[in-house]
C-alpha cells in the first residue's frame, strides 16, 4: 500500500493539481465500483436510538443520496449486523463528505476510521478493495501536497491508520515527500502530538494495537522529524520535545528542556 511519491519543492500548482485529479478519480472510482449497492434486506437497527423505519428503508434502496444527518448516524453506528454491506451502500457519499472536511473532531476521525475497519474492506472482492485503497492513498497524497487541505494531515492520519489497521505505509509516504508543504504538515503534527507521546500515550484512541502504533509513531518522529523540522524553522522548544521522545525514564523528565507537562 502507498507507493512513495516525490513532492519536489512542495506545493507547486502542478503537483497539487495532479494529486487533486488523482483524488477526484478515486472518488469517481468509488461511485462506479459501489453503484447499485444496498444494505442487506434483513438489516435492522433500533428505531429509538438510531432512526426510523423510513430511514432504514432508504439504506436498502441503491444510489439514493442520504440527508447529512442520516449519513452521519449510519456511519457512526457500530451495531449493524452486516457492516460491510452498510459501508458499501454509503461509501461514495461518505468518502466525498469526509474529503470536504465536514467531519472535523478527532473523535469523529477515530469513528470514521473505525467505520472502515468494521466493514473489513480489505477482505472484499479485489476490485472493491482496490477502489477503497486507492481512495485512501489518493486522499493522503493530496493532503500532504496541499498547503491548506480541508482535513489536516495529523487528523487524516488518524482516520487512515484506523481504517487500514497500520501506520507504516502512511508514514513511509510522508517520509518520501520533500518540500516545505509536507514539512509544514510535519511541524503541525509534531506540535499536536508531542504532549501525548511524551506521556507515552498515542494521540488518539486506536481500535487495535494502540501500544504498537504509539511506539512506531514515536520512533518515526525521533528518526525522521528533527532534520526536517529544523530546516522548516520549527521553534527550538519543539525540537527539544521531539528529541526527548528518544529519551526514557528519569532522563526524560529531568532533562533541562523538559517542558513541564503534567499527566
Amino acid at each position: 500500500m502507498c507507493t512513495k511519491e516525490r513532492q519536489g519543492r512542495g506545493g507547486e500548482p502542478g503537483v497539487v493539481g495532479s494529486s487533486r485529479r488523482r483524488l477526484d478519480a478515486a472518488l469517481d472510482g468509488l461511485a462506479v465500483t459501489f453503484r447499485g449497492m444496498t444494505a442487506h434486506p434483513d438489516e435492522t437497527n433500533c428505531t429509538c436510538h438510531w432512526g426510523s423505519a423510513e430511514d432504514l428503508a432508504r439504506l436498502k434502496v441503491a444510489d439514493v443520496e442520504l440527508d447529512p444527518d442520516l449519513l452521519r448516524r449510519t456511519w457512526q453506528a457500530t451495531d449493524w449486523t452486516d457492516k460491510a454491506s452498510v459501508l458499501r451502500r454509503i461509501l461514495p457519499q461518505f468518502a466525498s463528505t469526509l474529503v470536504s472536511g465536514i467531519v472535523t473532531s478527532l473523535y469523529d476521525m477515530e469513528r470514521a476510521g473505525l467505520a472502515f475497519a468494521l466493514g473489513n474492506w480489505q477482505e472484499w472482492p479485489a476490485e472493491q478493495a482496490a477502489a477503497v485503497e486507492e481512495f485512501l492513498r489518493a486522499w493522503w497524497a493530496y493532503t500532504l501536497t496541499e498547503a491548506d487541505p480541508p482535513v489536516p494531515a495529523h487528523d487524516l492520519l488518524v482516520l487512515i491508520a484506523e481504517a487500514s489497521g497500520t501506520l507504516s505505509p502512511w508514514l513511509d509516504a510522508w517520509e518520501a515527500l520533500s518540500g516545505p508543504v509536507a514539512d509544514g504538515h510535519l511541524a503541525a503534527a509534531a506540535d499536536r502530538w508531542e504532549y501525548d507521546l511524551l506521556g507515552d500515550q498515542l494521540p488518539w484512541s486506536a481500535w487495535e494495537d494502540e501500544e504498537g502504533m504509539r511506539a512506531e509513531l514515536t520512533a518515526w518522529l525521533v528518526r525522521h522529524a528533527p532534520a526536517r523540522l529544523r530546516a522548516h524553522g520549527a521553534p527550538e522548544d519543539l525540537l527539544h520535545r521531539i528529541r526527548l521522545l528518544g529519551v526514557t525514564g528519569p532522563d526524560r523528565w529531568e532533562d533541562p528542556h523538559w517542558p513541564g507537562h503534567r499527566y
Side-chain angles (χ1 to χ4, degrees):
M1 192 187 296
C2 290
T3 302
K4 292 187 176 183
E5 298 177 24
R6 191 51 64 174
Q7 183 180 330
R9 288 174 293 165
E12 298 97 331
V15 174
V16 176
S18 176
S19 63
R20 180 70 228 195
R21 287 191 294 274
R22 179 184 178 188
L23 177 55
D24 289 341
L27 289 168
D28 289 343
L30 291 178
V32 171
T33 301
F34 297 99
R35 182 175 297 147
M37 300 289 179
T38 67
H40 192 280
D42 296 329
E43 188 64 75
T44 61
N45 212 313
C46 175
T47 56
C48 297
H49 299 96
W50 176 79
S52 67
E54 290 77 13
D55 288 339
L56 186 61
R58 291 181 70 83
L59 299 183
K60 300 176 182 180
V61 178
D63 306 324
V64 175
E65 185 166 326
L66 308 179
D67 68 71
D69 181 64
L70 176 54
L71 178 65
R72 177 190 56 79
R73 284 184 281 119
T74 300
W75 67 259
Q76 288 184 346
T78 59
D79 53 353
W80 299 110
T81 301
D82 189 338
K83 297 175 178 64
S85 69
V86 171
L87 180 59
R88 284 191 286 260
R89 164 63 179 87
I90 66 171
L91 193 49
Q93 186 181 353
F94 181 33
S96 295
T97 299
L98 290 172
V99 167
S100 73
I102 292 175
V103 177
T104 57
S105 73
L106 176 61
Y107 178 62
D108 278 341
M109 287 291 115
E110 296 168 0
R111 295 182 73 179
L114 179 59
F116 280 88
L118 292 178
N120 288 318
W121 62 270
Q122 288 129 319
E123 299 178 9
W124 294 354
E127 181 182 7
Q128 295 178 7
V132 177
E133 181 176 335
E134 173 57 13
F135 162 64
L136 296 175
R137 289 171 35 168
W139 190 12
W140 186 230
Y142 166 74
T143 298
L144 292 179
T145 55
E146 168 59 56
D148 187 24
V151 180
H154 51 79
D155 286 341
L156 179 54
L157 184 65
V158 174
L159 188 155
I160 58 181
E162 292 303 301
S164 61
T166 180
L167 272 172
S168 299
W170 316 112
L171 296 180
D172 289 347
W174 206 342
E175 187 169 344
L177 290 170
S178 64
V181 173
D183 291 351
H185 293 316
L186 182 59
D191 187 60
R192 178 66 66 92
W193 293 334
E194 57 85 12
Y195 176 87
D196 290 302
L197 292 175
L198 282 172
D200 293 324
Q201 301 167 357
L202 187 69
W204 65 89
S205 297
W207 171 243
E208 292 182 335
D209 193 24
E210 186 160 323
E211 176 56 24
M213 284 194 177
R214 182 204 63 79
E216 181 176 3
L217 183 60
T218 299
W220 185 81
L221 284 170
V222 169
R223 181 185 74 251
H224 180 66
R228 290 178 68 165
L229 294 179
R230 190 171 292 108
H232 186 69
E236 195 67 23
D237 65 335
L238 179 59
L239 292 171
H240 280 298
R241 294 177 193 198
I242 299 306
R243 174 184 60 81
L244 286 171
L245 291 175
V247 179
T248 59
D251 288 343
R252 176 181 288 179
W253 56 82
E254 291 175 1
D255 188 279
H257 295 285
W258 172 251
H261 294 336
R262 300 178 66 88
Y263 299 92

